[in-house]
Each structure stands twice: as structure tokens, then as C-alpha cells.
Amino acid sequence: MGFNPNNMQKMMKQVQKMQQDMARVQEELQYEMVEVETGGVVKAVFNGHGEIQSITIQPEAVDPSDVEMLQDLILAAVREGQKKAQELASSRLNDVTKGMNLPNIPGLM
């Protein structure tokens, strides 16, 4: 059972296709949005890269005597939005690598 150049060529083609597909997904994630809402008064929108696109705060959330509550709601929305964006990106990239038996290499995904 020696070296088979046909298998190597086939594997290289698969890797190239996967790289192209991953680049396409990374580009698409820029335009895919996730939205979270906390307390019914703070809404945050993120793209698939976890970058904040907008924050909307309902007027009733602004209580000068309880700014800390508003800060907590905003922080919770940001954290949840980043988590959802990361889950979206992982899911989309896993779709690309499905069926490929890849080792766990840091920086590959």
C-alpha cells in the first residue's frame, strides 16, 4: 500500500474547494444578521462576524435614577448577540467542512 498520487490530487482538490467555500461563507456572514432583545426594551443587531450593527433603546428603559439597569440590559444584549453571531458562523462553517475528516488545527476555523 504505497503512495497514490491520484488520492493526493483528489484530496488537494477537496481542500481547495473547501477553502473557496469557507471564503464565500465568511463573505456572506458579513450580511447575515442576528437580533437579540433584552428586557423588552433593548434590541441589538449583529452581523455574522459578531460586529454590532445597531442598538435600539426604548424610551421607557431610560430611567435617570436607575442607569445601572440600562447598562446591564445593554451589556446582556451585546453578549447574547455576540454569542448568537458566533453560533451562526460556526454552523455555517461546519456546513462547509461536513464530511471532511479534519484534524483540530488552531486557526483553521
Side-chain angles (χ1 to χ4, degrees), residues 60-75:
E60 60 267 21
V62 182
D63 179 355
S65 66
D66 196 3
V67 174
E68 204 171 298
M69 164 92 92
L70 179 56
Q71 292 168 340
D72 289 345
L73 290 171
I74 293 169
L75 186 58

Side-chain angles (χ1 to χ4, degrees), residues 23-41:
R24 177 186 47 79
V25 167
Q26 286 290 345
E27 175 70 21
E28 290 171 355
L29 284 170
Q30 179 177 345
Y31 302 103
E32 291 190 46
M33 301 295 151
V34 294
E35 186 176 298
V36 295
E37 192 171 318
T38 56
V41 292

Side-chain angles (χ1 to χ4, degrees), residues 1-12:
M1 207 169 180
F3 174 74
N4 185 339
N6 290 333
N7 285 344
M8 179 61 88
Q9 188 176 21
K10 182 179 177 183
M11 185 179 76
M12 291 303 293

